[in-house]
Amino acid sequence: MTSSRLLYLDNASTSWPKPECMMDAMNKFTAEIGASSGRGAHRLAVESSRQVYLARKRAASLLGVKDESRIVFTLNATEALNLAIKGVLRDGDHVVATGMQHNSVVRPLRRLTTEKNVTVTYVPFERDGSFSLAKLRNEIRPNTRAIIAIHVSNAFGIVAPLSGLAELAKQRSLPLLVDGAQGLGNLSFDLGSLGVDLYAFCGHKAILGPHGTGGLYIREGLELSPLVEGSTGSESESDMQPAYLPDRFESGTQNCLGLAGLAASADFILSIGLEKFVRAKMRVTTHLVEKMKAIPGIELYFTGDLENRTPILAFNVKGHDSSETAEMLDKRFGILVRAGLHCAPMAHKEAGTLERGIVRASIGPFVKESDIDYFVECVDSISSKN
């Protein structure tokens, strides 16, 4: 029998529920604006362009970037990563990357190994979740073209040492590309002071925006080839793609509706304060971890250093496959989590969970400690029946 209660703990996939202001902004855009950004000078086109500009400004504020034109909008972090990877790498280049990468990085790189003779070296995380900068440094070659890092493991919530990676990249005059799909909104940081060259982010996860929104920060002075070329609404007399940002990388009609929602969600977070927003989720996550540690028969992964974590908990119940546990939580108790490999088989190889997968509970800003108490009670009931 399916439970009538609903507790959503799958925020690392997509955050839900969304702030009311996001839905209001999208409804208003649909009812009162509706036009395309950058496609005309009439009042509705101008207002649509203003909404996109606001989204760009808010994203820049969350990232700690002063020049909002360095923020290029995409449909999601995957598209942003493809733009960065394929825009930087050339025939015969070598890439060194941190382990635990998501398939959004692994698959584009895999394709380039066959099409452009690109070679890739992955440096795994340590068994305790730490990362060795020295090991990565030793893998840099004369033909290394870039360093790629996952900011936060989507499967295990582990955080990479971004400041150390940025310093190493600077020392070696290499661009640092960061997969920030799980970073923005789950961590408080400042790209301007870190010195990151490329940072891919998505709107629908921790910054509470709608689906179909994401972007790429591109450091000034770094040249990339466009992934897509076409209409930008600018320099229409030329058959060449504009050279300036953001137009160079934003061809075709944008998701203006989604970006209006993204601007509102970002405003919601900024009104709270990013650091306070992050701390509140981590308080609930800490409560979750401590409660789960007390349950017999539970296997927890990488929970030793909660100071270097995000609101993600990976676990298994002994005697149960991860998908079996997730199904019981859903059908019996109305708790929605994600199980399996989470599009990150590399992370599971490093953790030793490739065959079994893990159950992932991910905390959003509207999850309360009382919700966690209910969740733990339900997991305990599954575990106690082994």
Side-chain angles (χ1 to χ4, degrees):
M1 183 175 179
T2 302
S3 171
S4 60
R5 180 166 181 165
L6 194 66
L7 174 56
Y8 187 83
L9 296 178
D10 194 20
N11 290 276
S13 291
T14 290
S15 57
W16 188 82
K18 304 293 186 179
E20 189 173 336
C21 62
M22 186 208 85
M23 294 178 278
D24 290 343
M26 295 180 73
N27 286 333
K28 182 176 181 180
F29 185 95
T30 301
E32 300 179 15
I33 304 171
S36 292
S37 170
R39 303 301 193 274
H42 57 77
R43 69 187 70 178
L44 294 185
V46 170
E47 179 58 24
S48 181
S49 296
R50 190 180 77 86
Q51 293 295 318
V52 173
Y53 170 75
L54 287 174
R56 212 180 302 277
K57 283 285 286 185
R58 301 301 182 263
S61 295
L62 288 173
L63 289 164
V65 173
K66 292 182 180 179
D67 182 0
E68 68 275 0
S69 72
R70 310 309 303 181
I71 306 295
V72 173
F73 284 129
T74 59
L75 288 176
N76 42 53
T78 298
E79 184 183 0
L81 288 164
N82 272 263
L83 167 58
I85 290 167
K86 295 169 184 176
V88 167
L89 298 179
R90 301 292 179 266
D91 287 353
D93 284 342
H94 171 252
V95 176
V96 60
T98 63
M100 296 208 175
Q101 293 289 344
H102 189 275
N103 279 342
S104 293
V105 167
V106 175
R107 287 178 174 175
L109 288 177
R110 180 67 181 87
R111 179 177 175 181
L112 292 180
T113 63
T114 58
E115 292 187 355
K116 293 193 174 182
N117 199 31
V118 168
T119 53
V120 186
T121 302
Y122 292 104
V123 180
F125 279 72
E126 303 297 322
R127 295 295 295 178
D128 63 355
S130 62
F131 184 79
S132 172
L133 290 169
K135 288 183 179 179
L136 187 142
R137 183 185 296 110
N138 291 337
E139 296 294 345
I140 295 175
R141 307 173 187 174
N143 67 328
T144 300
R145 180 68 180 87
I147 296 173
I148 301 179
I150 188 166
H151 196 176
V152 177
S153 166
N154 69 304
F156 297 102
I158 299 167
V159 181
L162 213 56
S163 58
L165 287 163
E167 181 60 32
L168 175 58
K170 183 179 179 181
Q171 291 170 3
R172 297 303 181 94
S173 299
L174 294 171
L176 172 63
L177 164 60
V178 178
D179 173 1
Q182 300 290 344
L184 185 59
N186 280 329
L187 295 167
S188 180
F189 58 93
D190 187 327
L191 284 187
S193 60
L194 279 173
V196 171
D197 301 285
L198 296 157
Y199 192 94
F201 64 93
C202 68
H204 69 98
K205 297 184 190 289
I207 57 173
L208 310 180
H211 294 88
T213 56
L216 178 69
Y217 161 72
I218 305 173
R219 173 184 56 78
E220 186 176 3
L222 184 61
E223 297 295 326
L224 271 71
S225 299
L227 187 64
V228 177
E229 289 144 324
S231 170
T232 61
S234 56
E235 297 188 359
S236 295
E237 72 283 357
S238 174
D239 62 359
M240 297 288 290
Q241 190 76 0
Y244 54 86
L245 268 63
D247 296 42
R248 181 167 176 76
F249 303 103
E250 290 185 354
S251 293
T253 301
Q254 289 181 300
N255 179 11
C256 305
L257 171 64
L259 292 174
L262 183 66
S265 292
D267 267 335
F268 173 79
I269 295 172
L270 290 167
S271 68
I272 298 170
L274 179 57
E275 189 172 342
K276 184 177 179 181
F277 178 77
V278 169
R279 281 202 313 268
K281 288 192 289 184
M282 282 310 301
R283 277 198 298 271
V284 177
T285 305
T286 301
H287 179 70
L288 168 61
V289 172
E290 293 307 314
K291 287 278 189 177
M292 290 287 281
K293 284 181 177 178
I295 303 177
I298 297 295
E299 299 170 280
L300 302 178
Y301 302 94
F302 303 108
T303 57
D305 179 15
L306 289 179
E307 294 298 315
N308 194 38
R309 291 297 308 275
T310 53
I312 292 173
L313 175 66
F315 72 96
N316 270 313
V317 178
K318 290 180 181 178
H320 291 282
D321 182 78
S322 60
S323 59
E324 182 186 14
T325 300
E327 184 178 11
M328 285 190 287
L329 287 170
D330 181 4
K331 292 185 176 179
R332 294 185 190 176
F333 306 109
I335 298 172
L336 310 183
V337 294
R338 186 175 175 187
L341 299 184
H342 311 84
C343 304
M346 180 179 293
H348 289 278
K349 286 179 184 177
E350 294 185 28
T353 55
L354 184 60
E355 292 189 9
R356 190 179 182 192
I358 51 97
V359 183
R360 184 185 67 188
S362 45
I363 306 301
F366 305 112
V367 177
K368 304 178 180 65
E369 288 192 1
S370 57
D371 295 323
I372 295 304
D373 293 339
Y374 171 69
F375 170 73
V376 172
E377 177 185 322
C378 297
V379 174
D380 190 19
S381 73
I382 294 173
S383 179
S384 64
K385 290 179 181 178
N386 286 344

